[in-house]
């Protein structure tokens, strides 16, 4: 994908806040040259499109993490609306199927500044039982691989994947398919409620393109310093070629 370095930030800070004011307080401490921002369902539902536009106007690349999943026409219109907000990345559920993903792709292509369109495969909160219960055969891992391949064939730019999946997906999907990985913890950081974590260094070495990082930055005494420390780990990983 893109090259590492200034103005191509690999760190996507998860703005998991209940209101816009709190999110903006954190954002004021961050430099858009070193990070992108992720706005999820809670913050978007409270802060609305105005917040996203404000972040975009402040020069941040925004990943709008709303995981659209509906009939093709509805998802296409929602993706077009996200693109109109000027977001850098938007996502849909791969379980919505090929026609839904193709419609989403066509919709984002119609805007001048096309956002990256990525898929969610199997939510990492789901275990073998959950997957079986909704009628899918095979392990969660089998389903992740199958859905990622479907997402690629449907024209998506990549998928969100856990640190457990990134190595296999990089091998299966080739170099140009984007992999976005949450559950990242710098060495020595608290895991919080994440069960399977990976360091920024290992995530990049395993083939991840973008690292979603929340609490290690948002809860830090000095968020910008925490961000730069993670960037330093990423630089080491890239430096080893
Ligand atoms: O604070 P922390 O670094 O754990 O935040 C991770 C972010 O990534 C949160 O916004 C969380 O919802 C998101 N995420 C995740 N695991 C997934 C998908 C998304 O942690 N499988």
């Amino acid at each position: 994908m893109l090259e590492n370095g200034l103005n191509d930030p690999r760190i996507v800070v998860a703005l998991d806040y209940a209101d816009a004011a709190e999110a903006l307080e954190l954002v004021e401490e961050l430099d858009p040259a070193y990070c992108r921002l992720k706005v999820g369902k809670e913050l978007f539902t409270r802060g609305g499109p105005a917040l996203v536009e404000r972040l975009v106007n402040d020069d941040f690349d925004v990943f709008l993490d709303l995981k659209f999943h509906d009939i093709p026409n509805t998802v296409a219109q929602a993706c077009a609306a996200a693109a109109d907000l000027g977001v850098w990345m938007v996502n849909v559920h791969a379980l919505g199927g090929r026609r839904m993903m193709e419609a989403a792709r066509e919709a984002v292509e119609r805007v001048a500044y096309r956002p990256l369109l990525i898929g969610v495969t199997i939510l990492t909160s789901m275990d073998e039982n959950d997957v079986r219960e909704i009628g899918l055969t095979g392990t969660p891992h089998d389903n992740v691989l199958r859905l990622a391949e479907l997402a690629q064939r449907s024209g998506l730019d990549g998928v969100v994947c856990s640190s457990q999946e990134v190595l296999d997906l990089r091998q299966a999907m080739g170099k140009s398919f984007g992999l976005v990985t949450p559950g990242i913890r710098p060495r020595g950081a608290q895991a919080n409620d994440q069960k399977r974590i990976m360091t920024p260094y290992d995530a990049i070495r395993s083939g991840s393109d973008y690292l979603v990082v929340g609490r290690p930055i948002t809860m830090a005494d000095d968020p910008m310093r925490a961000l730069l420390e993670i960037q330093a780990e990423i630089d080491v990983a890239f430096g080893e070629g």
Side-chain angles (χ1 to χ4, degrees):
M1 293 201 71
L2 305 165
E3 303 228 317
N4 181 44
L6 203 61
N7 297 321
D8 174 26
R10 301 305 182 125
I11 302 167
V12 183
V13 179
L15 296 180
D16 293 320
Y17 290 101
D19 74 74
E22 256 186 277
L24 289 170
E25 212 174 292
L26 184 268
V27 169
E28 263 177 29
E29 303 210 24
L30 302 175
D31 181 343
Y34 289 94
C35 67
R36 294 173 155 115
L37 303 174
K38 179 171 90 70
V39 174
K41 285 190 168 100
E42 182 187 14
L43 185 59
F44 185 77
T45 304
R46 292 190 187 277
L51 172 65
V52 174
E53 281 170 327
R54 160 85 191 265
L55 299 172
V56 171
N57 285 335
D58 285 351
D59 284 336
F60 283 95
D61 281 348
V62 174
F63 169 18
L64 190 61
D65 179 21
L66 298 182
K67 303 183 179 70
F68 295 132
H69 188 176
D70 210 311
I71 60 171
N73 182 59
T74 301
V75 167
Q77 299 300 343
C79 288
D84 287 342
L85 287 176
V87 305
W88 159 72
M89 179 180 274
V90 62
N91 60 358
V92 301
H93 268 283
L95 280 167
R98 182 176 52 76
R99 282 190 300 113
M100 188 204 81
M101 290 189 276
E102 284 174 352
R105 170 70 195 232
E106 279 166 31
V108 294
E109 265 177 356
R110 279 186 222 116
V111 297
Y113 174 64
R114 178 173 98 69
L116 291 171
L117 178 66
I118 61 166
V120 174
T121 57
I122 298 291
L123 295 168
T124 47
S125 52
M126 297 185 83
D127 62 17
E128 298 239 21
N129 270 337
D130 297 317
V131 165
R132 200 174 319 120
E133 215 166 38
I134 59 168
L136 297 175
T137 54
T139 64
H141 192 75
D142 297 336
N143 282 282
V144 166
L145 281 171
R146 200 188 63 250
L147 288 165
E149 277 159 12
L150 181 64
Q152 190 176 45
R153 283 203 304 279
S154 308
L156 266 55
D157 299 301
V159 290
V160 182
C161 68
S162 79
S163 56
Q164 263 49 53
E165 297 153 357
V166 67
L167 199 58
D168 284 353
L169 280 173
R170 178 53 70 218
Q171 272 167 11
M173 310 303 299
K175 275 192 177 152
S176 60
F177 195 63
L179 298 178
V180 179
T181 316
I184 301 295
R185 290 293 179 271
R187 233 174 286 283
Q190 284 186 5
N192 309 110
D193 57 353
Q194 295 282 11
K195 294 217 171 60
R196 294 182 295 271
I197 56 177
M198 202 177 222
T199 65
Y201 174 89
D202 287 337
I204 293 291
R205 296 300 297 172
S206 303
S208 181
D209 294 296
Y210 297 106
L211 314 185
V212 175
V213 187
R215 286 158 291 183
I217 292 171
T218 61
M219 308 281 273
D221 290 335
D222 182 345
M224 190 59 206
R225 209 180 93 196
L227 175 62
L228 290 175
E229 282 170 6
I230 296 173
Q231 183 60 47
E233 264 197 62
I234 293 173
D235 290 342
V236 173
F238 273 103
E240 291 175 9

PDB file of all heavy atoms in Angstrom, residues 14 16 38 67 124 160 182-185 193-194 212-216, ligand 1:
ATOM      1  N   ALA A  14      -8.487   5.608  17.800  1.00  0.00           N
ATOM      2  CA  ALA A  14      -9.913   5.326  17.989  1.00  0.00           C
ATOM      3  C   ALA A  14     -10.498   6.333  18.975  1.00  0.00           C
ATOM      4  O   ALA A  14     -10.135   6.346  20.151  1.00  0.00           O
ATOM      5  CB  ALA A  14     -10.095   3.902  18.521  1.00  0.00           C
ATOM      6  N   ASP A  16     -13.019   6.721  21.013  1.00  0.00           N
ATOM      7  CA  ASP A  16     -14.139   6.072  21.695  1.00  0.00           C
ATOM      8  C   ASP A  16     -14.616   6.950  22.848  1.00  0.00           C
ATOM      9  O   ASP A  16     -14.348   6.661  24.021  1.00  0.00           O
ATOM     10  CB  ASP A  16     -13.712   4.674  22.179  1.00  0.00           C
ATOM     11  CG  ASP A  16     -13.456   3.744  21.007  1.00  0.00           C
ATOM     12  OD1 ASP A  16     -14.233   3.802  20.035  1.00  0.00           O
ATOM     13  OD2 ASP A  16     -12.490   2.971  21.050  1.00  0.00           O
ATOM     14  N   LYS A  38     -10.379   7.519  14.083  1.00  0.00           N
ATOM     15  CA  LYS A  38     -11.517   6.626  13.822  1.00  0.00           C
ATOM     16  C   LYS A  38     -12.728   7.105  14.627  1.00  0.00           C
ATOM     17  O   LYS A  38     -12.644   7.257  15.846  1.00  0.00           O
ATOM     18  CB  LYS A  38     -11.183   5.188  14.226  1.00  0.00           C
ATOM     19  CG  LYS A  38     -12.350   4.225  13.981  1.00  0.00           C
ATOM     20  CD  LYS A  38     -11.933   2.780  14.178  1.00  0.00           C
ATOM     21  CE  LYS A  38     -12.099   2.286  15.589  1.00  0.00           C
ATOM     22  NZ  LYS A  38     -13.490   2.113  16.036  1.00  0.00           N
ATOM     23  N   LYS A  67     -19.700   0.399   9.878  1.00  0.00           N
ATOM     24  CA  LYS A  67     -19.974  -0.998   9.496  1.00  0.00           C
ATOM     25  C   LYS A  67     -21.361  -1.157   8.884  1.00  0.00           C
ATOM     26  O   LYS A  67     -22.216  -1.882   9.390  1.00  0.00           O
ATOM     27  CB  LYS A  67     -19.855  -1.921  10.719  1.00  0.00           C
ATOM     28  CG  LYS A  67     -18.507  -1.865  11.422  1.00  0.00           C
ATOM     29  CD  LYS A  67     -18.452  -2.860  12.568  1.00  0.00           C
ATOM     30  CE  LYS A  67     -17.124  -2.853  13.288  1.00  0.00           C
ATOM     31  NZ  LYS A  67     -16.861  -1.643  14.085  1.00  0.00           N
ATOM     32  N   THR A 124     -14.562 -10.003  15.891  1.00  0.00           N
ATOM     33  CA  THR A 124     -13.652 -10.782  16.754  1.00  0.00           C
ATOM     34  C   THR A 124     -14.318 -11.159  18.076  1.00  0.00           C
ATOM     35  O   THR A 124     -13.807 -11.996  18.814  1.00  0.00           O
ATOM     36  CB  THR A 124     -12.350 -10.016  17.049  1.00  0.00           C
ATOM     37  OG1 THR A 124     -12.698  -8.697  17.434  1.00  0.00           O
ATOM     38  CG2 THR A 124     -11.441  -9.986  15.851  1.00  0.00           C
ATOM     39  N   VAL A 160     -10.839  -5.065   7.902  1.00  0.00           N
ATOM     40  CA  VAL A 160     -10.386  -4.937   9.282  1.00  0.00           C
ATOM     41  C   VAL A 160     -10.087  -6.355   9.750  1.00  0.00           C
ATOM     42  O   VAL A 160     -10.867  -7.269   9.481  1.00  0.00           O
ATOM     43  CB  VAL A 160     -11.487  -4.353  10.200  1.00  0.00           C
ATOM     44  CG1 VAL A 160     -10.970  -4.176  11.621  1.00  0.00           C
ATOM     45  CG2 VAL A 160     -11.999  -3.032   9.660  1.00  0.00           C
ATOM     46  N   PRO A 182      -6.927  -3.611  14.777  1.00  0.00           N
ATOM     47  CA  PRO A 182      -7.053  -3.112  16.154  1.00  0.00           C
ATOM     48  C   PRO A 182      -6.397  -4.094  17.135  1.00  0.00           C
ATOM     49  O   PRO A 182      -5.752  -5.050  16.708  1.00  0.00           O
ATOM     50  CB  PRO A 182      -8.559  -3.048  16.374  1.00  0.00           C
ATOM     51  CG  PRO A 182      -9.128  -4.063  15.441  1.00  0.00           C
ATOM     52  CD  PRO A 182      -8.128  -4.330  14.343  1.00  0.00           C
ATOM     53  N   GLY A 183      -6.544  -3.834  18.435  1.00  0.00           N
ATOM     54  CA  GLY A 183      -5.952  -4.726  19.440  1.00  0.00           C
ATOM     55  C   GLY A 183      -4.448  -4.531  19.522  1.00  0.00           C
ATOM     56  O   GLY A 183      -3.698  -5.481  19.769  1.00  0.00           O
ATOM     57  N   ILE A 184      -3.990  -3.310  19.312  1.00  0.00           N
ATOM     58  CA  ILE A 184      -2.560  -3.014  19.306  1.00  0.00           C
ATOM     59  C   ILE A 184      -2.145  -2.456  20.670  1.00  0.00           C
ATOM     60  O   ILE A 184      -2.790  -1.565  21.209  1.00  0.00           O
ATOM     61  CB  ILE A 184      -2.246  -1.959  18.204  1.00  0.00           C
ATOM     62  CG1 ILE A 184      -2.662  -2.474  16.821  1.00  0.00           C
ATOM     63  CG2 ILE A 184      -0.779  -1.539  18.245  1.00  0.00           C
ATOM     64  CD1 ILE A 184      -1.905  -3.685  16.320  1.00  0.00           C
ATOM     65  N   ARG A 185      -1.078  -3.009  21.199  1.00  0.00           N
ATOM     66  CA  ARG A 185      -0.551  -2.509  22.475  1.00  0.00           C
ATOM     67  C   ARG A 185       0.970  -2.441  22.406  1.00  0.00           C
ATOM     68  O   ARG A 185       1.628  -3.458  22.125  1.00  0.00           O
ATOM     69  CB  ARG A 185      -0.940  -3.450  23.635  1.00  0.00           C
ATOM     70  CG  ARG A 185      -2.419  -3.445  23.992  1.00  0.00           C
ATOM     71  CD  ARG A 185      -2.847  -2.111  24.576  1.00  0.00           C
ATOM     72  NE  ARG A 185      -4.260  -2.046  24.912  1.00  0.00           N
ATOM     73  CZ  ARG A 185      -5.233  -1.654  24.078  1.00  0.00           C
ATOM     74  NH1 ARG A 185      -4.946  -1.284  22.845  1.00  0.00           N
ATOM     75  NH2 ARG A 185      -6.488  -1.593  24.475  1.00  0.00           N
ATOM     76  N   ASP A 193      -9.431  -4.444  28.027  1.00  0.00           N
ATOM     77  CA  ASP A 193     -10.292  -5.613  27.818  1.00  0.00           C
ATOM     78  C   ASP A 193      -9.930  -6.398  26.565  1.00  0.00           C
ATOM     79  O   ASP A 193     -10.651  -7.314  26.181  1.00  0.00           O
ATOM     80  CB  ASP A 193     -11.761  -5.169  27.763  1.00  0.00           C
ATOM     81  CG  ASP A 193     -11.995  -4.125  26.687  1.00  0.00           C
ATOM     82  OD1 ASP A 193     -11.010  -3.651  26.071  1.00  0.00           O
ATOM     83  OD2 ASP A 193     -13.158  -3.772  26.455  1.00  0.00           O
ATOM     84  N   GLN A 194      -8.836  -6.077  25.914  1.00  0.00           N
ATOM     85  CA  GLN A 194      -8.442  -6.812  24.699  1.00  0.00           C
ATOM     86  C   GLN A 194      -7.833  -8.148  25.116  1.00  0.00           C
ATOM     87  O   GLN A 194      -6.971  -8.206  25.976  1.00  0.00           O
ATOM     88  CB  GLN A 194      -7.417  -6.007  23.888  1.00  0.00           C
ATOM     89  CG  GLN A 194      -7.945  -4.704  23.316  1.00  0.00           C
ATOM     90  CD  GLN A 194      -8.801  -4.900  22.073  1.00  0.00           C
ATOM     91  OE1 GLN A 194      -9.180  -6.013  21.717  1.00  0.00           O
ATOM     92  NE2 GLN A 194      -9.124  -3.796  21.422  1.00  0.00           N
ATOM     93  N   VAL A 212      -5.141   0.417  14.452  1.00  0.00           N
ATOM     94  CA  VAL A 212      -6.147   1.160  15.212  1.00  0.00           C
ATOM     95  C   VAL A 212      -5.742   1.109  16.685  1.00  0.00           C
ATOM     96  O   VAL A 212      -5.643   0.025  17.262  1.00  0.00           O
ATOM     97  CB  VAL A 212      -7.554   0.556  15.023  1.00  0.00           C
ATOM     98  CG1 VAL A 212      -8.567   1.262  15.921  1.00  0.00           C
ATOM     99  CG2 VAL A 212      -7.984   0.645  13.561  1.00  0.00           C
ATOM    100  N   VAL A 213      -5.490   2.269  17.253  1.00  0.00           N
ATOM    101  CA  VAL A 213      -5.029   2.333  18.647  1.00  0.00           C
ATOM    102  C   VAL A 213      -5.925   3.299  19.415  1.00  0.00           C
ATOM    103  O   VAL A 213      -6.064   4.460  19.013  1.00  0.00           O
ATOM    104  CB  VAL A 213      -3.563   2.828  18.738  1.00  0.00           C
ATOM    105  CG1 VAL A 213      -3.064   2.714  20.175  1.00  0.00           C
ATOM    106  CG2 VAL A 213      -2.657   2.057  17.791  1.00  0.00           C
ATOM    107  N   GLY A 214      -6.530   2.813  20.489  1.00  0.00           N
ATOM    108  CA  GLY A 214      -7.382   3.662  21.317  1.00  0.00           C
ATOM    109  C   GLY A 214      -6.702   4.053  22.607  1.00  0.00           C
ATOM    110  O   GLY A 214      -5.885   4.975  22.650  1.00  0.00           O
ATOM    111  N   ARG A 215      -7.024   3.299  23.671  1.00  0.00           N
ATOM    112  CA  ARG A 215      -6.625   3.704  25.021  1.00  0.00           C
ATOM    113  C   ARG A 215      -5.135   3.944  25.255  1.00  0.00           C
ATOM    114  O   ARG A 215      -4.802   4.841  26.046  1.00  0.00           O
ATOM    115  CB  ARG A 215      -7.202   2.700  26.030  1.00  0.00           C
ATOM    116  CG  ARG A 215      -8.709   2.900  26.198  1.00  0.00           C
ATOM    117  CD  ARG A 215      -9.417   1.690  26.726  1.00  0.00           C
ATOM    118  NE  ARG A 215      -9.437   0.599  25.752  1.00  0.00           N
ATOM    119  CZ  ARG A 215     -10.056  -0.560  25.938  1.00  0.00           C
ATOM    120  NH1 ARG A 215     -10.702  -0.772  27.075  1.00  0.00           N
ATOM    121  NH2 ARG A 215     -10.035  -1.488  25.013  1.00  0.00           N
ATOM    122  N   PRO A 216      -4.218   3.203  24.613  1.00  0.00           N
ATOM    123  CA  PRO A 216      -2.805   3.530  24.853  1.00  0.00           C
ATOM    124  C   PRO A 216      -2.479   4.992  24.507  1.00  0.00           C
ATOM    125  O   PRO A 216      -1.520   5.555  25.038  1.00  0.00           O
ATOM    126  CB  PRO A 216      -2.050   2.565  23.934  1.00  0.00           C
ATOM    127  CG  PRO A 216      -2.975   1.399  23.793  1.00  0.00           C
ATOM    128  CD  PRO A 216      -4.367   2.001  23.778  1.00  0.00           C
TER     129      PRO A 216
HETATM  130  O1  LIG B   1      -8.656   1.168  23.214  1.00  0.00           O
HETATM  131  P1  LIG B   1      -8.346   0.123  22.176  1.00  0.00           P
HETATM  132  O2  LIG B   1      -6.982   0.290  21.545  1.00  0.00           O
HETATM  133  O3  LIG B   1      -8.580  -1.270  22.678  1.00  0.00           O
HETATM  134  O4  LIG B   1      -9.427   0.408  21.021  1.00  0.00           O
HETATM  135  C1  LIG B   1      -9.524  -0.398  19.892  1.00  0.00           C
HETATM  136  C2  LIG B   1     -10.566   0.125  18.940  1.00  0.00           C
HETATM  137  O5  LIG B   1     -10.692  -0.808  17.875  1.00  0.00           O
HETATM  138  C3  LIG B   1     -11.961   0.285  19.533  1.00  0.00           C
HETATM  139  O6  LIG B   1     -12.595   1.369  18.847  1.00  0.00           O
HETATM  140  C4  LIG B   1     -12.643  -1.014  19.176  1.00  0.00           C
HETATM  141  O7  LIG B   1     -14.021  -0.897  19.066  1.00  0.00           O
HETATM  142  C5  LIG B   1     -12.018  -1.313  17.821  1.00  0.00           C
HETATM  143  N1  LIG B   1     -12.041  -2.724  17.431  1.00  0.00           N
HETATM  144  C6  LIG B   1     -11.453  -3.722  18.203  1.00  0.00           C
HETATM  145  N2  LIG B   1     -11.512  -5.013  17.790  1.00  0.00           N
HETATM  146  C7  LIG B   1     -12.122  -5.326  16.650  1.00  0.00           C
HETATM  147  C8  LIG B   1     -12.695  -4.355  15.853  1.00  0.00           C
HETATM  148  C9  LIG B   1     -12.635  -3.041  16.279  1.00  0.00           C
HETATM  149  O8  LIG B   1     -10.873  -3.428  19.238  1.00  0.00           O
HETATM  150  N3  LIG B   1     -12.135  -6.577  16.252  1.00  0.00           N
END
